[in-house]
Structures are given as C-alpha cells and as structure tokens.
Amino acid sequence: MNGSRVLVLNSGSSSVKYQLLDMADGSRPAFGIVERIGEGPVADHAAALKQVADELAAQGLGLDSPELAAVGHRVVHGGTRFTEPALITDEVVEEIEKLIPLAPLHNPANVTGIKVARALRPDLPQVAVFDTAFHSTIPEAAARYAIDVATADRWGVRRYGFHGTSHAYVSRATAALLGKDPAEVNTIVLHLGNGASTSAVRGGVCVETSMGLTPLEGLVMGTRSGDIDPAAIFHLSRVGGMSTEEIDTLLNKRSGLAGLCGDNDMREIGRRMGEGDQAAQLAFDIYIHRLRKYVGAYTAVLGRVDAIAFTAGVGENSAAVREAAMRDLTAFGIEVDGVRNALRSATTRLISTESSRVAVAVVPTDEELEIAGRTFDLVSA
Ligand code: ADP
C-alpha cells in the first residue's frame, strides 16, 4: 500500500456524505454531501456516487489518485455476521445484501455505494465499517428479548444496537480525556442527535445499548418514539384500524419530540420553552425523563460509573439538556459545574465539578475519523 488517504462514504437513504482523510497528517482535504437523491437532478445512488467522484476529481483528488489507500464505507446493519470491519469482497457484499430485511431503509443504499465505488476503482481495497459492530459484545442477558427463543432466532429478533461507530469513538476519547486506558474506564455514552441512543461501556467493551432490533427502541428522539409498550401497536391496529405501514410511519416519523410538540429541533424547542410554550416544555420533560431513566439503569448495569459522555447535535450543543439530565444526581456521585456546562466550545471537555466522583464530559463525535482509522488499520495490516 502506498497512499495515506482514506475516502469515507456514508450512503444514506436520500444522501451521500463523503470525507477524504489523510491518515499521515490528520488533514481532511475534501468533504461534501450530495442530497435529495431521487428528487431532482440526482436520479439515484449510482448518480450520487458519480457526482462525488466528479467533485473529488475537480479538486485533483480523484479516485485514481495514487495517494488514495482505501475507501471506507459506513454500513448500518452487520447483523450477527459482522462484529468487526470487513475487507469488501463479492462474498461480503452478498452477506450485506442478505441483511437488507433487518435494515430495509439503510443497507440497500450502503450496498449501492459499495458497488459503484468498486466499479469505479476495482483494484482499490474497500472496507465496510458497521454501525452495529461495537455492540456485538453485549452479553446474551442484555441482547436477548424475553420471547420464544426459536421464533426470535428464526427471524433474527434481538438487540443489535446502532451508532456503534460513535459509541466506540466517544468512549475511547472519554478515556483519553481522563488520561486513562479505555480498559480502566466505565462510561455511559449519551449520543443525542436527531436519532439518539445510549450505551454502557465497561473497560472499553460495550455491555448494553438502548437501540434494539431497529433504531426505534430506547430514548425519545427527534421523530421516533423510543420505548413504548409493544401492545400499543396491537391496540392501534385492532381498535384504531391503522395498518402496519401507518403505525411504522407514526412511530418512526410522527413521534418523539416532533410528535409531542411539532418540532424536532432542540433549538426551536428551547426557544418555545422560553416563551412559556407548554407543549414544548412537556416534550422536553419527557425527553429528559427517559434520558435519566437510562442513566439510572446503566449505572446499575455497570455498578461503577467513571464517566458520562454527551455527544452528537443535542449532546454537544444543548447545555439545557445536559443540565436537566444531570440535575440532582449527587447521590450517584454526579455533579455538573454550571459555568463549565454553559461554555460553548467545539472541543472535548469536562463539565463536572472538581469534586464530582463521576466525570461528566462533552465529547464531539467523529464517525468519519473512526471509519477512516478502522479502514486504514485493516488495509495496512
Ligand atoms: P443526526 O446525525 O442524527 O442527523 P445530529 O447529531 O447532527 O443528528 O443532531 C441534530 C440535532 O442536534 C438537531 O435536530 C437539533 O435538535 C440538535 N442541535 C444542533 N445544534 C444545536 C444547538 N446549538 N442547540 C441545541 N440543539 C442543537
């Protein structure tokens, strides 16, 4: 291998994000996004990937550049098959395609991204980095739902967890902030973006996470309900007359903060709360209540918590969410410093008091860097 650069591709359902990272000097020579796939001039994912290739070529950084060592692809679902990043072969592509029923919105776009990139540069090593992989260490007691075992196994119904790339990166960065080896630190990671999930990481190993079979379970999110009594679905079907599709749309797109108050952006909710808006206040309170429940639960799961890390759009930017989530938890050894918490900064930082037994931190996530690093490690091994 000659080059030191990795192109990271994140092919989502309606967009392709890309970043070119240089692992030798840490620079990012190019990044961008192709949006609204299927709606306008960009007909499909193949066209979007070609546009990415063209944008890179226009900057003299094309896929044929000798500095390019590999392409790293974000893949949402690795099932139980992929517990580590995988060097992409025809067999790996087939295996990812077989997982499409588990992630019908995401894996097809990921597969297309891989196929187009391979067609453009067949000789270049490409690596799949899975959103589920970091959670593959979760013990059976936490990964299994308490349903009939044969049915669960036949249909792959279990906790997989998502946002794993972020949870892995943030838990390691939190240990680094404390000047410790990840093996010495027990961390609760709160990834609060539009999608939101939390994980319990013991000594660098994930032991529990809030998303499950799909990214719907767990915390209250921008438009997703998170935890709900599954019998609510039967009720909406039998009594409410809703179809499976309608209930799917309700829980994934018309729930969460948006369902509760009409807004899914925490900035807007904060503004409305400032004007005394009751619906926005209730949405915020429900969001915080769920978050605190998980912090309590994961404290019991871990037994000893050394650090709590806030990350992603809300976690990195909303001092109000962090303050409310951590309020009155001195019995848990958690004390947030109001001044540190209110400080706006894009860097990794502690927001707990000097006397807080648990370190509370804001740790900006960097999924692209994690994907590039794992990709580079694999191809240079
Ligand atoms: P995703 O990657 O899941 O789309 P992000 O991690 O980018 O989401 O988070 C997006 C969310 O972050 C927005 O919907 C908004 O609620 C929140 N957010 C972004 N900036 C701020 C801010 N300054 N204050 C509060 N919330 C913010």
Side-chain angles (χ1 to χ4, degrees), residues 120-178:
L120 290 170
R121 267 300 298 277
D123 57 310
L124 194 65
Q126 308 211 10
V127 173
V129 180
F130 299 89
D131 248 26
T132 46
F134 183 62
H135 305 301
S136 65
T137 50
I138 292 176
E140 282 295 280
R144 277 210 177 262
Y145 295 111
I147 64 171
D148 174 71
V149 171
T151 307
D153 288 351
R154 169 144 191 235
W155 301 108
V157 177
R158 60 184 284 117
R159 178 178 310 289
Y160 296 99
F162 299 89
H163 291 143
T165 304
S166 177
H167 287 282
Y169 175 84
V170 170
S171 56
R172 251 194 292 108
T174 304
L177 175 69
L178 302 182

Side-chain angles (χ1 to χ4, degrees), residues 14 19 23 39 61 104 125 163 188 191 220 237 313 318 322 324 337 342:
S14 67
Q19 265 194 34
M23 306 314 286
E39 283 178 35
L61 302 165
H163 291 143
I188 297 173
H191 177 110
V220 176
S237 165
S318 176
R322 296 191 300 258
D337 181 302

Side-chain angles (χ1 to χ4, degrees), residues 352-373:
S352 42
T353 62
E354 291 304 319
S355 58
S356 183
R357 184 163 48 73
V358 177
V360 183
V362 177
V363 180
T365 192
D366 195 339
E367 288 162 279
E368 285 77 16
L369 179 60
E370 180 73 12
I371 292 171

Side-chain angles (χ1 to χ4, degrees), residues 17 61 65 95 166 221 259:
K17 288 185 212 156
L61 302 165
S65 138
E95 294 285 336
S166 177
M221 313 186 203

Side-chain angles (χ1 to χ4, degrees), residues 26-366:
S27 66
R28 304 197 192 196
F31 55 87
I33 180 166
V34 179
E35 289 179 288
R36 282 188 267 282
I37 297 172
E39 283 178 35
V42 191
D44 53 22
H45 280 81
L49 259 294
K50 294 224 171 65
Q51 186 172 325
V52 170
D54 290 345
E55 285 180 17
L56 288 167
Q59 301 169 64
L61 302 165
L63 283 177
D64 54 356
S65 138
E67 272 109 48
L68 193 60
V71 180
H73 296 267
R74 175 189 183 210
V75 179
V76 167
H77 218 304
T80 49
R81 165 72 177 76
F82 296 104
T83 58
E84 290 287 333
L87 191 64
I88 294 172
T89 60
D90 293 342
E91 190 259 332
V92 166
V93 176
E94 276 171 34
E95 294 285 336
I96 297 170
E97 284 180 320
K98 280 191 202 149
L99 294 166
I100 285 175
L102 284 172
L105 291 180
H106 296 103
N107 274 30
N110 302 157
V111 169
T112 309
I114 290 171
K115 285 184 170 168
V116 176
R118 287 183 93 204
L120 290 170
R121 267 300 298 277
D123 57 310
L124 194 65
Q126 308 211 10
V127 173
V129 180
F130 299 89
D131 248 26
T132 46
F134 183 62
H135 305 301
S136 65
T137 50
I138 292 176
E140 282 295 280
R144 277 210 177 262
Y145 295 111
I147 64 171
D148 174 71
V149 171
T151 307
D153 288 351
R154 169 144 191 235
W155 301 108
V157 177
R158 60 184 284 117
R159 178 178 310 289
Y160 296 99
F162 299 89
H163 291 143
T165 304
S166 177
H167 287 282
Y169 175 84
V170 170
S171 56
R172 251 194 292 108
T174 304
L177 175 69
L178 302 182
K180 295 202 168 135
D181 191 272
E184 302 173 298
V185 184
N186 292 353
T187 306
I188 297 173
V189 178
L190 300 168
H191 177 110
L192 311 177
N194 209 3
S197 65
T198 172
S199 66
V201 183
R202 175 181 289 130
V205 177
C206 185
V207 294
E208 175 63 293
T209 195
S210 59
M211 284 179 169
L213 170 70
T214 75
L216 182 55
E217 196 181 349
L219 301 174
V220 176
M221 313 186 203
T223 65
R224 287 175 233 158
S225 62
D227 295 337
I228 182 171
D229 181 347
I233 295 162
F234 316 143
H235 182 77
L236 292 170
S237 165
R238 291 178 190 139
V239 181
M242 291 175 73
S243 69
T244 307
E245 291 305 316
E246 284 169 335
I247 300 171
D248 190 328
T249 303
L250 170 77
L251 297 181
N252 276 297
K253 303 218 168 87
R254 293 174 42 223
S255 295
L257 295 169
L260 290 165
C261 75
D263 272 307
N264 68 335
D265 193 311
M266 200 52 88
R267 284 165 289 204
E268 188 57 18
I269 289 170
R271 197 192 57 71
R272 285 173 56 186
M273 281 161 58
E275 295 174 347
D277 186 311
Q278 295 295 312
Q281 183 67 54
L282 183 60
F284 183 85
D285 292 348
I286 294 169
Y287 183 95
I288 295 297
H289 176 78
R290 185 79 53 83
L291 204 50
R292 292 171 65 90
K293 245 166 71 165
Y294 270 93
V295 169
Y298 286 10
T299 298
V301 166
L302 289 170
R304 187 199 84 222
V305 179
D306 301 304
I308 296 174
F310 285 87
T311 194
V314 176
E316 292 168 28
N317 295 299
S318 176
V321 164
R322 296 191 300 258
E323 195 279 323
M326 300 282 98
R327 189 183 300 156
D328 293 336
L329 293 179
T330 43
F332 283 49
I334 297 168
E335 266 174 27
V336 165
D337 181 302
V339 175
R340 287 180 178 178
N341 184 43
L343 210 75
R344 290 200 59 84
S345 157
T347 57
T348 299
R349 62 199 186 276
L350 278 178
I351 59 167
S352 42
T353 62
E354 291 304 319
S355 58
S356 183
R357 184 163 48 73
V358 177
V360 183
V362 177
V363 180
T365 192
D366 195 339

